[in-house]
Amino acid sequence: MQLRKMEEADESVNSPAPNLPLGVSGSARNVGDLCYDLLSRYGLLSLLLLLALVFARSVCGSQQKALWNDEIYSVIVATQPTWHKFAQAMPSECNPPLYPLLARLAIRLFGLTDLSVRMPDILSFLAALAGVYVFVRRECGVVFGLLAVVLIFSEPGWTYSFEARPYGLLLAFLMLALVSWQSAANAAEATPPRPRRLALAGMVVGIVGSILSHGIGILEVGVPLLLGEAVRLYRTRRPDWPVFTTALAAIPALAIILPMMRRTSNLLLIYTHAWMHPLTLSKIYSFCTSNIRMTMPLLLNSNLIDLP
């Protein structure tokens, strides 16, 4: 009996410590292992701290940089006095109306400032980073999800976190569609399969939002979803018809933006034709010099419009 107790004591001493990575003993743990465990345990808190840092950085960047170039068109459209004039000004914005509408709402709430017209983009970028975290965490774990957020926030992604343009909005809806598609796929492959109505509804909102955010939104959201479904089809050898049907249900949103894109295209073509016909050397010279005058201040990082 005493011999057995001695053997059990030796086994307990030689066995690896609990909750340690495979092959790593307590004495072999380093700072990296401790950081990994800490981030894994407090993943949500770490994400909130990262998002707070991004928000502070975006607000400071917005305060230091006045509106420029394409942002001016968003402000012009968003500040139209009536909805009729708003619709008339939309072709000059060259994108669907979702961001100008959100900018118009922000201006009504907070007044016409650099920060207010950029606030929809700032909040959208934060939502996109949260979507990146959720998507990567499900596949690779908490730490890699946080690393993905840091990677997206690094150059050049952070420059789009405080612009009065629909890039952050498009990225947010794209991540909503991808996270919802991921949830729907995981629910279908679970044993037993889980309900996925909410995930499919999120896919519809993500696809429609992408279409209404940017002129190429259908391509931005459609390509990754089609590639993902192609991989699933190759693995399972059977199509997921509810996912395909859900994606097709969002396509009619194109009926809203196609006429607007056509009016924008016609406006640009008419303006270009009227200005360039007949083509002369003086017009070519004027075109080149005007573009240089517009481009040089942007290259020198100068501001075009300075709101309060």
Side-chain angles (χ1 to χ4, degrees):
M1 178 67 69
Q2 187 174 1
L3 180 60
R4 177 179 297 179
K5 291 181 178 180
M6 293 176 61
E7 292 177 351
E8 292 177 354
D10 292 338
E11 291 178 358
S12 62
V13 170
N14 295 328
S15 61
N19 300 326
L20 296 181
L22 184 62
V24 178
S25 61
S27 59
R29 290 175 61 79
N30 52 31
V31 177
D33 298 322
L34 296 176
C35 292
Y36 187 93
D37 292 342
L38 190 64
L39 291 175
S40 299
R41 183 175 301 177
Y42 301 104
L44 182 58
L45 178 60
S46 301
L47 175 65
L48 293 177
L49 292 176
L50 278 176
L51 294 182
L53 175 63
V54 174
F55 181 79
R57 175 66 183 86
S58 300
V59 170
C60 291
S62 178
Q63 296 292 348
Q64 297 171 3
K65 178 183 177 183
L67 299 176
W68 68 284
N69 203 20
D70 291 347
E71 291 181 298
I72 299 172
Y73 294 104
S74 298
V75 176
I76 291 174
V77 175
T79 54
Q80 293 300 308
T82 64
W83 289 111
H84 177 68
K85 292 186 176 180
F86 179 91
Q88 285 184 325
M90 271 306 303
S92 64
E93 215 278 341
C94 300
N95 278 309
L98 186 55
Y99 191 88
L101 287 173
L102 294 178
R104 188 182 183 91
L105 176 61
I107 291 171
R108 290 287 182 89
L109 294 176
F110 307 109
L112 182 57
T113 65
D114 292 345
L115 183 60
S116 65
V117 297
R118 288 168 173 160
M119 187 56 67
D121 185 67
I122 294 175
L123 298 180
S124 299
F125 192 79
L126 294 178
L129 291 181
V132 170
Y133 170 78
V134 173
F135 188 89
V136 178
R137 178 185 60 81
R138 289 175 177 174
E139 301 294 333
C140 307
V142 172
V143 175
F144 285 96
L146 295 173
L147 290 176
V149 172
V150 174
L151 178 62
I152 297 297
F153 181 57
S154 63
E155 288 279 5
W158 73 270
T159 58
Y160 294 102
S161 66
F162 54 93
E163 285 212 358
R165 299 298 290 165
Y167 309 124
L169 196 63
L170 173 61
L171 185 59
F173 280 115
L174 169 63
M175 291 313 305
L176 174 61
L178 290 180
V179 169
S180 300
W181 169 82
Q182 184 186 45
S183 298
N186 292 340
E189 296 173 2
T191 305
R194 300 190 301 269
R196 50 180 185 166
R197 296 186 185 89
L198 184 60
L200 296 177
M203 277 187 61
V204 173
V205 175
I207 297 174
V208 172
S210 298
I211 293 173
L212 297 180
S213 297
H214 200 278
I216 61 171
I218 184 62
L219 297 178
E220 294 287 337
V221 72
V223 171
L225 289 179
L226 288 175
L227 289 177
E229 275 304 301
V231 172
R232 289 188 63 216
L233 181 60
Y234 176 78
R235 289 172 51 191
T236 62
R237 303 297 179 181
R238 63 178 184 275
D240 192 339
W241 293 115
V243 170
F244 281 108
T245 304
T246 300
L248 291 176
I251 299 301
L254 288 172
I256 300 175
I257 69 166
L258 286 179
M260 301 177 63
M261 294 174 64
R262 188 177 298 110
R263 288 196 296 270
T264 300
S265 177
N266 293 336
L267 177 65
L268 295 176
L269 290 176
I270 292 172
Y271 173 78
T272 304
H273 180 76
W275 190 83
M276 296 296 292
H277 183 78
L279 185 62
T280 61
L281 290 177
S282 62
K283 288 185 176 181
I284 296 176
Y285 174 77
S286 176
F287 176 79
C288 295
T289 54
S290 63
N291 276 274
I292 291 175
R293 286 196 301 268
M294 289 181 60
T295 305
M296 287 306 296
L298 302 179
L299 297 177
L300 297 176
N301 198 26
S302 103
N303 298 322
L304 298 181
I305 286 187
D306 193 4
L307 297 179

